[in-house]
């Protein structure tokens, strides 16, 4: 059962309890004193009850009519705002559940969110409200800007929305309820099929317009180089480095401490005679073994490994870890094999450092390749693997016996591949250590080369298309596009995205749990 279904079932049971409680109250006897009071104010109470019945009966309509936000010239109803509020709460819950397996959720779903602190100044309800306001503002700004420009939703975008609606309808059918009732149970009072479709259409249009805005700028290599050197160099410049920490230790009643000077002496002793990466690794294992032997639970049969190597550590990451370590690693003239004792920035110890690969960026070119994927469900099954291999080899032979062009390979991929894509095309493929990656980036590889390559998931019939953009350019271009888009979006928000809040409409939002 999905989380949405669980949530629906929980709300159904709660509704049944409320119904039974109401019936019990209605069937109970009224005390004489109460009868007298009711008689005195009978007319007024009858009127109040009549209004209450009308309000309850039209609660969904009311929430679709009451305004929670105005973004530009668009009004956002309480029911629509509830959708974003509930989504923010559920996505946060799901995120924590995914990473902790439910062992840690920072709020109690069984208690009111406005009684639980998110920070010193906000409750969890406040936080989700603010997040929902921001989400609505982002979507509506892009929708209004797109409409003003005449940008319309693609046919594939419309199809994606209808696919979402079909999926929701299927889930409602599985619960044996109408789609409107299902949507109300999940996303709150006032949500129905029409409103959900409208929300999904807005979202799809906003995403397509955002993608279009990001794709519009064209950059030269010189512009990317300038942006790299002056803006994002720390993010996309890396080193491969080994280091161990030697820190002071405060003495206790039962253990002897260690001064900063002693920590420095240990670090200097550690690097003495280090002339290679292999020697550094051996020394790491020696020190870890000596330390392990001092432990009461030392197990001589347990393998001790070297985990001192850090690969592709960016300048920004290393400098945030320790400013002094980052400064040493990325200093001008730093060379492979450099060894040093570096004081940490807090003055509490030292690093014994070995430079494996000095500062570099990913200058290699990515590759474009086509593939016909033959999937294997159980790669430990030798018979299944053999069958898949034969199929892959037969497909390659079939291609070779025909026109044997890239177009004919693409056509065969569309027909036969177990992973459907545009002619099996994969663009801007980056380096990996697996068999497929090794074949693609073999130094002898040239356009038109083909092969059948085994992987951990089956077999791949590969066709080399050729080189694509350098990887560092792809990284920097993506960063620049995002930065330029943020500027564009801010201007659009200033023009279209002014938010006016209506507290009553916001207060009518539904509860997420």
């Amino acid at each position: 059962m999905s989380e949405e279904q669980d949530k629906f079932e929980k709300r159904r049971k709660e509704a049944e309890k409320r119904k039974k409680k109401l019936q019990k109250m209605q069937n109970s006897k009224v005390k004489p004193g109460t009868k007298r009071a009711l008689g005195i104010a009978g007319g007024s109470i009858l009127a109040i009850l009549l209004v209450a019945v009308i309000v309850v009966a039209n609660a969904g309509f009311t929430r679709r009519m009451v305004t929670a936000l105005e973004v530009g010239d668009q009004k956002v109803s309480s029911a629509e705002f509830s959708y974003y509020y509930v989504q923010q709460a559920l996505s946060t819950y799901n995120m924590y559940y995914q990473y902790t397996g439910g062992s840690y959720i920072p709020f109690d779903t069984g208690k009111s969110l406005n009684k639980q602190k998110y920070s010193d100044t906000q409750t969890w309800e406040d936080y989700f409200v603010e997040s929902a306001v921001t989400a609505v503002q982002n979507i509506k700004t892009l929708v209004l800007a797109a409409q003003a420009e005449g940008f319309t939703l693609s046919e594939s975008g419309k199809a994606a929305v209808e696919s979402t609606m079909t999926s929701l309808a299927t889930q409602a059918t599985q619960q044996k309820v109408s789609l409107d009732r299902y949507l109300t149970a999940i996303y709150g009072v006032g949500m129905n099929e029409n409103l959900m479709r409208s929300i999904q259409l807005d979202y799809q249009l906003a995403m397509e317009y955002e993608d279009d805005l990001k794709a519009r700028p064209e950059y030269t290599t010189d512009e990317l180089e300038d942006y790299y050197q002056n803006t994002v160099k720390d993010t996309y410049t890396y080193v491969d480095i080994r280091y161990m920490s030697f820190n002071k230790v405060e003495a206790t009643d039962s253990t002897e401490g260690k001064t900063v000077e002693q920590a420095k002496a240990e670090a200097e002793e550690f690097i003495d005679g280090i002339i290679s990466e292999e020697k550094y690794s051996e020394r790491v294992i020696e020190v870890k073994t000596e330390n392990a032997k001092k432990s009461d639970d030392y197990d001589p049969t347990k393998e001790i490994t070297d985990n001192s190597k850090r690969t592709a550590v960016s300048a920004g990451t290393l400098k945030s870890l320790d400013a002094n370590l980052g400064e040493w690693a990325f200093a001008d003239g730093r060379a492979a094999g450099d060894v040093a004792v570096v004081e940490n920035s807090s003055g509490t110890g030292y690093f014994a450092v070995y430079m494996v690969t000095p500062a570099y960026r990913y200058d290699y070119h990515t590759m474009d390749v086509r593939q016909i994927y033959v999937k294997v469900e159980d790669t430990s099954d030798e018979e299944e693997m053999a069958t898949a291999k034969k199929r892959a080899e037969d497909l390659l032979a079939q291609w070779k016996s025909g026109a044997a062009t890239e177009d004919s390979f693409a056509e065969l991929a569309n027909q036969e591949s177990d992973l459907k894509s545009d002619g099996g095309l994969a663009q801007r493929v980056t380096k990996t250590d697996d068999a497929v990656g090794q074949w693609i980036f073999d130094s002898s590889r040239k356009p038109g080369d083909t092969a059948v390559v085994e992987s951990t998931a089956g077999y791949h019939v590969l066709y080399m298309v050729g080189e694509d953009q350098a990887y560092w350019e792809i990284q920097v271009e993506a960063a620049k596009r995002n930065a330029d888009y943020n500027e564009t979006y801010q201007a659009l928000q200033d023009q279209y995205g002014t938010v006016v809040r209506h507290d009553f409409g916001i207060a009518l939002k539904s509860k997420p749990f």
Side-chain angles (χ1 to χ4, degrees):
M1 184 177 289
S2 68
E3 290 182 9
E4 288 188 346
Q5 291 168 340
D6 287 341
K7 186 167 180 285
F8 176 85
E9 186 63 20
K10 180 180 178 182
R11 288 191 171 182
R12 185 188 67 77
K13 290 179 179 178
E14 290 175 348
E16 287 295 329
K17 289 181 181 178
R18 288 195 297 270
K19 182 179 178 181
K20 290 179 180 178
K21 184 176 181 181
L22 179 61
Q23 289 174 338
K24 184 177 180 181
M25 292 171 62
Q26 291 172 337
N27 294 333
S28 63
K29 293 182 178 180
V30 183
K31 295 179 180 179
T34 306
K35 285 184 178 180
R36 194 177 304 114
L38 288 173
I40 294 173
S44 299
I45 289 200
L46 182 60
I48 292 171
L49 287 175
L50 181 60
V51 171
V53 168
I54 293 173
V55 170
V56 170
N58 294 280
F61 175 78
T62 301
R63 283 169 170 78
R64 289 192 296 273
M65 294 300 295
V66 173
T67 300
L69 298 175
E70 291 179 62
V71 183
D73 61 2
Q74 280 204 1
K75 291 184 177 181
V76 178
S77 70
S78 177
E80 184 173 359
F81 180 76
S82 286
Y83 170 83
Y84 288 95
Y85 175 74
V86 169
Q87 284 287 70
Q88 293 299 317
L90 291 180
S91 63
T92 301
Y93 176 88
N94 291 337
M95 178 189 70
Y96 278 101
Y97 194 93
Q98 178 183 353
Y99 284 107
T100 69
S103 62
Y104 172 70
I105 307 294
F107 48 85
D108 187 341
T109 59
K111 297 179 180 179
S112 178
L113 293 173
N114 65 5
K115 302 296 183 182
Q116 302 179 64
K117 284 285 188 180
Y118 169 76
S119 68
D120 291 340
T121 58
Q122 283 186 315
T123 64
W124 275 100
E125 181 179 277
D126 296 333
Y127 171 72
F128 290 139
V129 165
E130 293 306 313
S131 298
V133 170
T134 299
V136 173
Q137 183 182 33
N138 290 345
I139 296 296
K140 297 299 184 181
T141 294
L142 291 169
V143 167
L144 289 168
Q147 291 172 344
E149 186 182 320
F151 183 94
T152 57
L153 186 60
S154 68
E155 290 302 316
S156 61
K158 294 175 184 176
V161 170
E162 291 311 311
S163 177
T164 297
M165 296 305 299
T166 299
S167 177
L168 289 169
T170 299
Q171 293 170 35
T173 300
Q174 291 171 350
Q175 292 296 319
K176 299 180 180 180
V177 295
S178 68
L179 178 55
D180 282 356
R181 184 179 174 191
Y182 179 77
L183 293 173
T184 297
I186 302 300
Y187 298 108
V189 177
M191 180 57 66
N192 61 16
E193 180 179 357
N194 290 336
L195 180 54
M196 176 59 75
R197 180 175 278 104
S198 175
I199 289 171
Q200 295 301 321
L201 286 169
D202 274 359
Y203 174 79
Q204 196 68 34
L205 177 60
M207 293 304 98
E208 287 190 10
Y209 188 57
E210 177 181 311
D211 289 343
D212 187 77
L213 291 175
K214 286 183 178 180
R216 290 180 185 181
E218 294 183 1
Y219 306 113
T220 65
T221 301
D222 287 343
E223 287 175 322
L224 295 178
E225 181 70 52
D226 179 73
Y227 194 72
Y228 167 77
Q229 294 292 345
N230 296 301
T231 308
V232 294
K233 189 172 184 178
D234 275 3
T235 303
Y236 300 114
T237 307
Y238 311 91
V239 292
D240 300 338
I241 190 172
R242 290 182 180 272
Y243 59 84
M244 276 193 72
S245 300
F246 296 84
N247 300 309
K248 74 174 183 178
V249 178
E250 297 294 338
T252 67
D253 293 338
S254 58
T255 60
E256 185 178 348
K258 183 194 303 181
T259 66
V260 173
E261 290 74 19
Q262 288 172 319
K264 181 180 181 181
E266 287 183 354
E268 290 173 339
E269 181 181 358
F270 178 90
I271 67 167
D272 185 36
I274 297 293
I275 58 174
S276 67
E277 184 180 0
E278 292 74 15
K279 187 64 177 176
Y280 187 99
S281 182
E282 291 173 6
R283 190 66 56 82
V284 170
I285 294 175
E286 289 173 7
V287 170
K288 290 179 70 175
T289 301
E290 291 173 5
N291 291 336
K293 288 179 178 179
K294 299 175 184 178
S295 174
D296 293 336
D297 57 356
Y298 172 61
D299 181 359
T301 64
K302 186 176 181 180
E303 182 183 9
I304 294 177
T305 59
D306 170 21
N307 60 354
S308 66
K309 187 172 183 178
R310 279 77 173 177
T311 303
V313 184
S314 72
T317 299
L318 201 58
K319 289 175 181 178
S320 65
L321 173 69
D322 189 275
N324 292 349
L325 182 60
E327 182 180 354
W328 180 89
F330 289 91
D332 292 339
R334 183 65 58 226
D338 283 356
V339 183
V341 169
V342 178
E343 183 179 13
N344 65 34
S345 55
S346 63
T348 59
Y350 290 82
F351 296 100
V353 195
Y354 182 93
M355 178 56 66
V356 179
T357 309
Y360 63 90
R361 68 184 184 187
Y362 290 125
D363 286 315
Y364 73 87
H365 281 261
T366 58
M367 296 291 187
D368 295 343
V369 63
R370 293 185 186 274
Q371 73 160 338
I372 302 171
Y373 173 50
V374 180
K375 185 178 181 180
V376 176
E377 295 292 345
D378 182 5
T379 55
S380 66
D381 186 327
E382 294 183 3
E383 184 176 348
E384 188 178 357
M385 287 291 287
T387 300
K389 181 178 182 180
K390 186 178 186 306
R391 181 187 166 206
E393 291 173 341
D394 288 348
L395 287 170
L396 181 56
Q398 178 183 338
W399 172 77
K400 287 181 176 180
S401 67
T405 63
E406 182 182 346
D407 287 342
S408 66
F409 191 97
E411 184 178 352
L412 188 61
N414 284 333
Q415 296 170 356
E416 300 291 344
S417 181
D418 292 334
L419 179 63
K420 299 301 181 184
S421 62
D422 182 15
L425 181 62
Q427 294 178 294
R428 295 182 171 183
V429 176
T430 58
K431 286 185 176 181
T432 56
D433 291 330
D434 60 14
V436 173
Q438 290 174 10
W439 183 88
I440 293 172
F441 286 94
D442 187 295
S443 60
S444 66
R445 194 65 53 231
K446 60 185 184 299
D449 283 355
T450 57
V452 171
V453 179
E454 180 183 347
S455 76
T456 57
Y459 283 89
H460 307 256
V461 186
L462 300 174
Y463 178 96
M464 173 54 64
V465 177
E467 284 189 346
D468 205 316
Q469 194 173 10
Y471 187 34
W472 77 266
E473 291 183 8
I474 294 172
Q475 291 178 307
V476 173
E477 181 180 328
K480 184 164 176 53
R481 283 193 187 282
N482 283 331
D484 290 348
Y485 167 76
N486 289 339
E487 290 186 9
T488 300
Y489 171 78
Q490 189 57 57
L492 293 177
Q493 188 183 93
D494 292 342
Q495 184 175 359
Y496 299 105
T498 302
V499 174
V500 177
R501 302 184 184 215
H502 295 269
D503 292 340
F504 178 68
I506 292 175
L508 283 178
K509 66 187 182 300
S510 296
K511 294 180 180 180
F513 306 107

